[in-house]
CSV table of all heavy atoms in Angstrom, one decimal:
chain,number,residue,atom,x,y,z
A,146,VAL,N,6.4,9.1,15.6
A,146,VAL,CA,5.8,8.1,14.7
A,146,VAL,C,5.2,7.0,15.4
A,146,VAL,O,4.2,6.3,15.1
A,146,VAL,CB,6.8,7.6,13.6
A,146,VAL,CG1,6.2,6.6,12.7
A,146,VAL,CG2,7.3,8.8,12.8
A,147,GLY,N,5.8,6.7,16.6
A,147,GLY,CA,5.4,5.5,17.4
A,147,GLY,C,4.0,5.7,18.0
A,147,GLY,O,3.4,4.8,18.4
A,148,ASP,N,3.5,6.9,17.9
A,148,ASP,CA,2.1,7.2,18.4
A,148,ASP,C,1.1,6.7,17.4
A,148,ASP,O,-0.1,6.6,17.8
A,148,ASP,CB,1.9,8.7,18.7
A,148,ASP,CG,2.8,9.2,19.8
A,148,ASP,OD1,3.2,8.4,20.7
A,148,ASP,OD2,3.1,10.4,19.8
A,149,LEU,N,1.5,6.4,16.2
A,149,LEU,CA,0.5,6.0,15.2
A,149,LEU,C,0.3,4.5,15.1
A,149,LEU,O,1.3,3.8,15.4
A,149,LEU,CB,1.0,6.5,13.8
A,149,LEU,CG,1.3,8.0,13.6
A,149,LEU,CD1,1.8,8.2,12.2
A,149,LEU,CD2,0.1,8.8,13.9
A,150,THR,N,-0.8,4.1,14.7
A,150,THR,CA,-1.1,2.7,14.5
A,150,THR,C,-0.4,2.3,13.2
A,150,THR,O,0.0,3.1,12.4
A,150,THR,CB,-2.6,2.4,14.4
A,150,THR,OG1,-3.1,3.0,13.2
A,150,THR,CG2,-3.3,2.9,15.6
A,151,GLU,N,-0.3,1.0,13.0
A,151,GLU,CA,0.3,0.5,11.7
A,151,GLU,C,-0.5,1.0,10.5
A,151,GLU,O,0.2,1.5,9.5
A,151,GLU,CB,0.3,-1.0,11.7
A,151,GLU,CG,1.0,-1.6,10.5
A,151,GLU,CD,1.0,-3.2,10.6
A,151,GLU,OE1,0.8,-3.7,11.6
A,151,GLU,OE2,1.3,-3.8,9.5
A,152,ARG,N,-1.8,1.1,10.5
A,152,ARG,CA,-2.5,1.5,9.4
A,152,ARG,C,-2.4,3.1,9.2
A,152,ARG,O,-2.2,3.6,8.1
A,152,ARG,CB,-4.0,1.2,9.6
A,152,ARG,CG,-5.0,1.7,8.5
A,152,ARG,CD,-4.5,1.5,7.1
A,152,ARG,NE,-4.3,0.1,6.7
A,152,ARG,CZ,-5.2,-0.6,6.1
A,152,ARG,NH1,-6.4,-0.1,5.8
A,152,ARG,NH2,-5.0,-1.9,5.7
A,153,GLU,N,-2.3,3.8,10.3
A,153,GLU,CA,-2.1,5.2,10.2
A,153,GLU,C,-0.7,5.6,9.7
A,153,GLU,O,-0.6,6.5,8.9
A,153,GLU,CB,-2.3,5.9,11.6
A,153,GLU,CG,-3.7,5.9,12.1
A,153,GLU,CD,-3.8,6.3,13.6
A,153,GLU,OE1,-2.8,6.3,14.3
A,153,GLU,OE2,-5.0,6.4,14.0
A,154,THR,N,0.3,4.8,10.0
A,154,THR,CA,1.6,5.0,9.5
A,154,THR,C,1.6,4.7,8.0
A,154,THR,O,2.2,5.4,7.2
A,154,THR,CB,2.6,4.0,10.2
A,154,THR,OG1,2.6,4.3,11.6
A,154,THR,CG2,4.0,4.2,9.6
A,155,GLU,N,0.8,3.7,7.6
A,155,GLU,CA,0.7,3.4,6.1
A,155,GLU,C,0.0,4.5,5.4
A,155,GLU,O,0.5,4.9,4.3
A,155,GLU,CB,-0.1,2.1,6.0
A,155,GLU,CG,-0.1,1.5,4.6
A,155,GLU,CD,-0.8,0.2,4.5
A,155,GLU,OE1,-1.5,-0.2,5.5
A,155,GLU,OE2,-0.8,-0.5,3.5
A,156,VAL,N,-1.0,5.1,6.0
A,156,VAL,CA,-1.7,6.2,5.3
A,156,VAL,C,-0.8,7.4,5.3
A,156,VAL,O,-0.8,8.1,4.2
A,156,VAL,CB,-3.0,6.5,6.1
A,156,VAL,CG1,-3.6,7.8,5.6
A,156,VAL,CG2,-4.0,5.4,6.0
A,157,LEU,N,-0.1,7.7,6.3
A,157,LEU,CA,0.9,8.8,6.3
A,157,LEU,C,1.9,8.7,5.2
A,157,LEU,O,2.2,9.6,4.5
A,157,LEU,CB,1.6,8.9,7.6
A,157,LEU,CG,2.7,10.0,7.7
A,157,LEU,CD1,2.1,11.4,7.4
A,157,LEU,CD2,3.3,10.0,9.1
A,158,SER,N,2.4,7.5,5.0
A,158,SER,CA,3.3,7.2,3.9
A,158,SER,C,2.7,7.5,2.6
A,158,SER,O,3.4,8.1,1.7
A,158,SER,CB,3.8,5.7,4.0
A,158,SER,OG,4.6,5.4,2.9
A,159,LEU,N,1.5,7.1,2.4
A,159,LEU,CA,0.8,7.3,1.1
A,159,LEU,C,0.5,8.8,0.9
A,159,LEU,O,0.6,9.3,-0.3
A,159,LEU,CB,-0.4,6.5,1.0
A,159,LEU,CG,-0.2,5.0,1.0
A,159,LEU,CD1,-1.5,4.2,1.1
A,159,LEU,CD2,0.6,4.6,-0.2
A,160,ILE,N,0.2,9.5,1.9
A,160,ILE,CA,0.0,11.0,1.8
A,160,ILE,C,1.2,11.6,1.3
A,160,ILE,O,1.2,12.5,0.4
A,160,ILE,CB,-0.4,11.6,3.2
A,160,ILE,CG1,-1.8,11.2,3.6
A,160,ILE,CG2,-0.3,13.1,3.2
A,160,ILE,CD1,-2.2,11.6,5.1
A,161,ALA,N,2.4,11.2,1.9
A,161,ALA,CA,3.7,11.8,1.6
A,161,ALA,C,4.1,11.5,0.1
A,161,ALA,O,4.9,12.2,-0.5
A,161,ALA,CB,4.7,11.3,2.5
A,162,GLN,N,3.5,10.4,-0.4
A,162,GLN,CA,3.8,10.1,-1.8
A,162,GLN,C,2.8,10.9,-2.8
A,162,GLN,O,2.9,10.7,-4.0
A,162,GLN,CB,3.6,8.6,-2.0
A,162,GLN,CG,4.7,7.8,-1.3
A,162,GLN,CD,4.4,6.3,-1.4
A,162,GLN,OE1,4.3,5.8,-2.5
A,162,GLN,NE2,4.3,5.6,-0.3
A,163,GLY,N,2.0,11.7,-2.2
A,163,GLY,CA,1.2,12.6,-3.0
A,163,GLY,C,-0.2,12.0,-3.4
A,163,GLY,O,-0.9,12.6,-4.3
A,164,LEU,N,-0.6,10.9,-2.8
A,164,LEU,CA,-1.9,10.3,-3.1
A,164,LEU,C,-3.0,11.1,-2.5
A,164,LEU,O,-2.9,11.5,-1.3
A,164,LEU,CB,-1.9,8.9,-2.7
A,164,LEU,CG,-1.3,7.8,-3.7
A,164,LEU,CD1,0.2,8.1,-3.9
A,164,LEU,CD2,-1.6,6.4,-3.2
A,165,SER,N,-4.1,11.2,-3.2
A,165,SER,CA,-5.3,11.8,-2.6
A,165,SER,C,-6.1,10.8,-1.8
A,165,SER,O,-5.7,9.6,-1.7
A,165,SER,CB,-6.3,12.2,-3.8
A,165,SER,OG,-6.8,11.1,-4.5
A,166,ASN,N,-7.1,11.2,-1.0
A,166,ASN,CA,-7.9,10.3,-0.2
A,166,ASN,C,-8.5,9.2,-1.0
A,166,ASN,O,-8.5,8.0,-0.6
A,166,ASN,CB,-9.0,11.0,0.5
A,166,ASN,CG,-8.4,11.9,1.7
A,166,ASN,OD1,-7.3,11.7,2.1
A,166,ASN,ND2,-9.3,12.7,2.3
A,167,GLY,N,-9.0,9.5,-2.2
A,167,GLY,CA,-9.6,8.5,-3.1
A,167,GLY,C,-8.6,7.5,-3.5
A,167,GLY,O,-8.9,6.3,-3.6
A,168,GLU,N,-7.4,8.0,-3.9
A,168,GLU,CA,-6.3,7.1,-4.4
A,168,GLU,C,-5.8,6.2,-3.2
A,168,GLU,O,-5.6,5.0,-3.4
A,168,GLU,CB,-5.2,7.9,-4.9
A,168,GLU,CG,-5.5,8.6,-6.2
A,168,GLU,CD,-4.5,9.6,-6.7
A,168,GLU,OE1,-3.7,10.1,-5.8
A,168,GLU,OE2,-4.4,9.9,-7.9
A,169,ILE,N,-5.8,6.7,-2.0
A,169,ILE,CA,-5.4,5.9,-0.9
A,169,ILE,C,-6.4,4.9,-0.6
A,169,ILE,O,-6.1,3.7,-0.3
A,169,ILE,CB,-5.2,6.8,0.4
A,169,ILE,CG1,-4.0,7.7,0.2
A,169,ILE,CG2,-4.9,6.0,1.6
A,169,ILE,CD1,-3.8,8.8,1.3
A,170,ALA,N,-7.7,5.3,-0.6
A,170,ALA,CA,-8.8,4.3,-0.4
A,170,ALA,C,-8.7,3.2,-1.4
A,170,ALA,O,-8.9,2.0,-1.0
A,170,ALA,CB,-10.1,5.0,-0.5
A,171,GLU,N,-8.5,3.5,-2.7
A,171,GLU,CA,-8.3,2.4,-3.7
A,171,GLU,C,-7.2,1.5,-3.4
A,171,GLU,O,-7.3,0.3,-3.5
A,171,GLU,CB,-8.2,3.1,-5.1
A,171,GLU,CG,-8.2,2.1,-6.2
A,171,GLU,CD,-8.2,2.8,-7.6
A,171,GLU,OE1,-8.5,4.1,-7.6
A,171,GLU,OE2,-7.9,2.2,-8.6
A,172,ARG,N,-6.0,2.1,-3.0
A,172,ARG,CA,-4.8,1.3,-2.7
A,172,ARG,C,-5.0,0.4,-1.6
A,172,ARG,O,-4.6,-0.8,-1.6
A,172,ARG,CB,-3.7,2.3,-2.4
A,172,ARG,CG,-2.3,1.6,-2.1
A,172,ARG,CD,-1.6,1.1,-3.3
A,172,ARG,NE,-1.2,2.2,-4.2
A,172,ARG,CZ,-0.1,2.9,-4.1
A,172,ARG,NH1,0.8,2.6,-3.2
A,172,ARG,NH2,0.2,3.8,-5.0
A,173,LEU,N,-5.7,0.9,-0.5
A,173,LEU,CA,-5.9,0.0,0.7
A,173,LEU,C,-7.2,-0.8,0.7
A,173,LEU,O,-7.5,-1.5,1.6
A,173,LEU,CB,-5.9,1.0,1.9
A,173,LEU,CG,-4.6,1.8,2.1
A,173,LEU,CD1,-4.7,2.6,3.4
A,173,LEU,CD2,-3.4,0.8,2.2
A,174,VAL,N,-8.0,-0.5,-0.4
A,174,VAL,CA,-9.3,-1.2,-0.5
A,174,VAL,C,-10.2,-1.0,0.7
A,174,VAL,O,-10.7,-1.9,1.4
A,174,VAL,CB,-9.1,-2.8,-0.7
A,174,VAL,CG1,-10.4,-3.4,-1.2
A,174,VAL,CG2,-8.0,-3.1,-1.6
A,175,VAL,N,-10.4,0.3,1.0
A,175,VAL,CA,-11.3,0.8,2.1
A,175,VAL,C,-12.1,1.9,1.6
A,175,VAL,O,-11.9,2.5,0.5
A,175,VAL,CB,-10.5,1.2,3.3
A,175,VAL,CG1,-9.7,0.0,3.9
A,175,VAL,CG2,-9.5,2.4,3.0
A,176,ALA,N,-13.1,2.3,2.3
A,176,ALA,CA,-13.9,3.5,2.0
A,176,ALA,C,-13.1,4.8,2.1
A,176,ALA,O,-12.3,4.9,3.0
A,176,ALA,CB,-15.2,3.5,2.8
A,177,GLU,N,-13.5,5.7,1.2
A,177,GLU,CA,-12.8,7.0,1.3
A,177,GLU,C,-13.0,7.7,2.6
A,177,GLU,O,-12.1,8.4,3.2
A,177,GLU,CB,-13.2,7.9,0.1
A,177,GLU,CG,-12.4,9.2,0.1
A,177,GLU,CD,-12.7,10.0,-1.2
A,177,GLU,OE1,-13.3,9.4,-2.2
A,177,GLU,OE2,-12.4,11.2,-1.3
A,178,GLN,N,-14.2,7.5,3.2
A,178,GLN,CA,-14.5,8.1,4.5
A,178,GLN,C,-13.6,7.6,5.6
A,178,GLN,O,-13.2,8.3,6.5
A,178,GLN,CB,-16.0,7.9,4.9
A,178,GLN,CG,-16.4,8.6,6.2
A,178,GLN,CD,-16.1,10.1,6.1
A,178,GLN,OE1,-16.5,10.8,5.2
A,178,GLN,NE2,-15.5,10.7,7.2
A,179,THR,N,-13.2,6.3,5.5
A,179,THR,CA,-12.3,5.7,6.4
A,179,THR,C,-10.9,6.3,6.3
A,179,THR,O,-10.3,6.6,7.3
A,179,THR,CB,-12.2,4.2,6.1
A,179,THR,OG1,-13.5,3.5,6.2
A,179,THR,CG2,-11.2,3.5,7.1
A,180,VAL,N,-10.5,6.6,5.1
A,180,VAL,CA,-9.2,7.3,4.9
A,180,VAL,C,-9.3,8.7,5.5
A,180,VAL,O,-8.3,9.1,6.2
A,180,VAL,CB,-8.9,7.4,3.4
A,180,VAL,CG1,-7.6,8.2,3.2
A,180,VAL,CG2,-8.7,6.0,2.8
A,181,LYS,N,-10.4,9.4,5.3
A,181,LYS,CA,-10.5,10.7,5.9
A,181,LYS,C,-10.4,10.7,7.4
A,181,LYS,O,-9.7,11.5,8.1
A,181,LYS,CB,-11.8,11.4,5.5
A,181,LYS,CG,-11.9,11.8,4.1
A,181,LYS,CD,-13.3,12.4,3.7
A,181,LYS,CE,-13.4,12.8,2.3
A,181,LYS,NZ,-14.7,13.4,2.0
A,182,SER,N,-11.0,9.6,8.0
A,182,SER,CA,-10.9,9.5,9.5
A,182,SER,C,-9.4,9.2,9.9
A,182,SER,O,-9.0,9.8,10.9
A,182,SER,CB,-11.8,8.3,9.9
A,182,SER,OG,-13.1,8.6,9.6
A,183,HIS,N,-8.7,8.4,9.2
A,183,HIS,CA,-7.3,8.1,9.5
A,183,HIS,C,-6.5,9.4,9.4
A,183,HIS,O,-5.7,9.7,10.2
A,183,HIS,CB,-6.8,7.1,8.5
A,183,HIS,CG,-7.2,5.7,8.8
A,183,HIS,ND1,-7.1,5.1,10.0
A,183,HIS,CD2,-7.7,4.7,8.0
A,183,HIS,CE1,-7.6,3.9,10.0
A,183,HIS,NE2,-7.9,3.6,8.7
A,184,VAL,N,-6.7,10.1,8.3
A,184,VAL,CA,-6.0,11.4,8.1
A,184,VAL,C,-6.2,12.4,9.3
A,184,VAL,O,-5.3,13.0,9.8
A,184,VAL,CB,-6.3,12.1,6.8
A,184,VAL,CG1,-5.7,13.5,6.6
A,184,VAL,CG2,-5.9,11.2,5.6
A,185,GLY,N,-7.5,12.5,9.7
A,185,GLY,CA,-7.8,13.4,10.8
A,185,GLY,C,-7.1,13.0,12.0
A,185,GLY,O,-6.5,13.8,12.8
A,186,ARG,N,-7.0,11.7,12.3
A,186,ARG,CA,-6.4,11.2,13.5
A,186,ARG,C,-4.9,11.4,13.5
A,186,ARG,O,-4.2,11.7,14.5
A,186,ARG,CB,-6.7,9.7,13.8
A,186,ARG,CG,-8.1,9.5,14.3
A,186,ARG,CD,-8.3,8.1,14.9
A,186,ARG,NE,-8.2,7.1,13.9
A,186,ARG,CZ,-9.2,6.6,13.2
A,186,ARG,NH1,-10.4,7.1,13.4
A,186,ARG,NH2,-9.1,5.7,12.3
A,187,ILE,N,-4.3,11.2,12.3
A,187,ILE,CA,-2.9,11.4,12.1
A,187,ILE,C,-2.5,12.8,12.4
A,187,ILE,O,-1.5,13.1,13.1
A,187,ILE,CB,-2.5,11.0,10.6
A,187,ILE,CG1,-2.5,9.5,10.4
A,187,ILE,CG2,-1.0,11.5,10.3
A,187,ILE,CD1,-2.5,9.1,9.0
A,188,LEU,N,-3.2,13.8,11.9
A,188,LEU,CA,-2.9,15.2,12.1
A,188,LEU,C,-3.0,15.5,13.5
A,188,LEU,O,-2.2,16.3,14.1
A,188,LEU,CB,-3.9,16.0,11.2
A,188,LEU,CG,-3.7,15.9,9.7
A,188,LEU,CD1,-4.7,16.8,9.0
A,188,LEU,CD2,-2.3,16.1,9.2
A,189,VAL,N,-4.1,15.0,14.2
A,189,VAL,CA,-4.3,15.3,15.6
A,189,VAL,C,-3.1,14.7,16.5
A,189,VAL,O,-2.5,15.4,17.3
A,189,VAL,CB,-5.6,14.8,16.1
A,189,VAL,CG1,-5.7,14.9,17.6
A,189,VAL,CG2,-6.8,15.6,15.5
């Protein structure tokens, strides 16, 4: 988990709560494409 940035950790937490990319984007007030980029980096 320490390999993740603070924002990536936050996104991972929201993924685990069952939120979609769109819902995460709304929660964090960012673009959905930004969330997709975070998700991709988290998985890698």
Side-chain angles (χ1 to χ4, degrees):
V146 177
D148 295 335
L149 303 180
T150 66
E151 183 176 346
R152 177 46 63 93
E153 288 166 352
T154 302
E155 188 176 11
V156 170
L157 175 58
S158 175
L159 294 174
I160 290 173
Q162 293 174 53
L164 274 65
S165 68
N166 284 350
E168 291 168 335
I169 294 173
E171 185 175 345
R172 178 78 63 89
L173 300 180
V174 195
V175 297
E177 186 170 345
Q178 185 57 47
T179 300
V180 175
K181 289 182 179 179
S182 298
H183 284 313
V184 172
R186 285 196 294 271
I187 289 167
L188 297 181
V189 169

